[in-house]
Amino acid sequence: MPELAEVDYFRRRWNPGVGRTVRAVHLNRRARIGRGVDVEALADALVGRKLLGSQAAAKQMAFRFAGGAWLGVHLGMSGRLECGDAEREPTKHDHFVLEMTDGKRLVFVDPRQFGRIQFWPGPGAPPWWEKIPPAILSDGFTVGVVSAFLRRRARTSIKAVLLMQERFPGIGNWMADEVLWRAGFHPQAKAGDFGPAAVRKLHRTLREVCADAMRVIAKDWSDPPATWLFNHRWADGGRCPRAKQPLRREEVGGRTTCWSPARQRLGAERR
DNA sequence: ATTCTTGTTGCATC
DNA sequence: AGATGCAACAAGAA
């Protein structure tokens, strides 16, 4: 489920734990979310430590603890973060719980377990955090960087390219479709066919969609306005809110893709 | 019963 | 070497 803005929304679900100290760590050791992690070291390091704060970047979250330890969380496809009190009924897929000194429980729930946790004892930021590329809303995300990346992935559909986290951190299936719909590019257009004007438009629209998502969804999980593709893309039979024509849904780049044939035509990218 | 899923990775192939 | 495409991971919903 979670892309850029939803990730930040879930990060803040754990805010009630900030300033509190970890009393116990409960980890379902059979759950895949802990794969590759030394869970004993993680539990040892976090118990007795105060949660200082958190940050989100791309689809990743980092929770920082006193003493310099970092807990990383990636929500995968179906993960979510919850905060409950001591009376909270555990659910079937509570795989990781931080029990805090005031009785609050910070819970990572993930039925499909494509998500994962990571750990770094510190000091300093972990390698898996440092290597997250510049955010789309940052100064480091330039037209030149986009242009070079599109050239390198020349034979791949633009839809598949926008899903590559190494260059478009935080973009997921619905955001990629939203960008292409707003900018008027066909999802099957080849990345290498994008001309200078088209690259600039793509860059501008990426920033616009990220900013809109952070403003609307990250704030309180409001439903996006009906003027976005978002509300019309999920089921067969939807109509384009701009062209008022039927939307099309088909697999592109291995993912279900929704676009408006009336306003996303092949060839527009060659400008 | 069958098919679908808002993500990532590892592997085979080009 | 680098680019490309696809299966696999797992569980719930429609």
Side-chain angles (χ1 to χ4, degrees):
Chain A
M1 179 195 298
E3 302 175 25
L4 184 76
E6 291 105 335
V7 169
D8 201 51
Y9 172 85
F10 280 125
R11 175 184 67 81
R12 283 181 285 107
R13 295 306 87 194
W14 277 13
N15 274 355
V18 173
R20 310 288 180 186
T21 297
V22 179
R23 180 199 288 161
V25 176
H26 307 283
L27 175 71
N28 173 4
R29 302 202 47 168
R30 300 224 308 266
R32 288 182 76 248
I33 64 148
R35 59 195 178 278
V37 177
D38 183 345
V39 293
E40 305 305 333
L42 183 154
D44 284 351
L46 295 190
V47 170
R49 294 293 168 83
K50 184 190 281 190
L51 174 57
L52 299 180
S54 63
Q55 55 208 299
K59 296 174 187 171
Q60 312 215 52
M61 291 173 268
F63 296 86
R64 289 174 291 99
F65 293 83
W70 290 58
L71 171 70
V73 178
H74 191 296
L75 296 170
M77 195 83 100
S78 58
R80 64 178 188 272
L81 298 189
E82 295 181 4
C83 176
D85 55 22
E87 281 77 49
R88 177 183 180 277
E89 276 305 308
T91 72
K92 189 176 168 186
H93 301 292
D94 292 358
H95 299 306
F96 180 78
V97 181
L98 293 178
E99 183 186 330
M100 311 305 278
T101 42
D102 63 353
K104 285 208 176 57
R105 281 162 169 71
L106 308 181
V107 189
F108 178 16
V109 189
D110 185 6
R112 291 174 72 181
Q113 300 183 59
F114 291 0
R116 68 189 313 163
I117 57 174
Q118 286 177 292
F119 173 65
W120 180 253
W128 40 263
W129 189 262
E130 297 276 278
K131 75 173 193 210
I132 298 173
I136 290 172
L137 291 173
S138 75
D139 291 344
F141 186 79
T142 62
V143 173
V145 147
V146 174
S147 177
F149 192 74
L150 263 51
R151 271 199 303 275
R152 195 147 68 81
R153 305 291 181 169
R155 291 154 54 99
T156 304
S157 70
I158 189 64
K159 169 64 187 281
V161 170
L162 289 181
L163 292 174
M164 295 178 178
Q165 299 300 298
E166 61 197 281
R167 183 45 62 208
F168 304 105
I171 297 295
N173 205 30
W174 80 254
M175 291 184 81
D177 284 359
E178 188 79 30
V179 167
L180 294 173
W181 173 75
R182 289 195 193 185
F185 297 124
H186 195 291
Q188 283 169 324
K190 299 288 182 234
D193 290 341
F194 277 65
V199 172
R200 284 197 300 274
K201 185 166 196 177
L202 190 68
H203 174 267
R204 189 167 65 241
T205 310
L206 276 157
R207 289 202 150 157
E208 178 190 301
V209 169
C210 287
D212 283 353
M214 293 303 288
R215 183 168 44 78
V216 173
I217 295 174
K219 182 161 166 273
D220 59 0
W221 205 278
S222 317
D223 281 337
T227 50
W228 295 18
L229 176 65
F230 185 94
N231 293 292
H232 313 272
R233 57 161 294 133
W234 307 106
D236 290 334
R239 290 185 95 82
C240 172
R242 291 192 187 176
K244 318 294 183 196
Q245 299 295 308
L247 292 167
R248 187 148 165 210
R249 299 174 79 238
E250 202 174 298
E251 190 166 301
V252 178
R255 311 298 300 279
T256 298
T257 298
C258 179
W259 74 96
S260 171
R263 46 186 314 283
Q264 293 169 265
R265 297 217 168 91
L266 279 173
E269 69 278 9
R270 293 179 183 275
R271 288 177 294 114

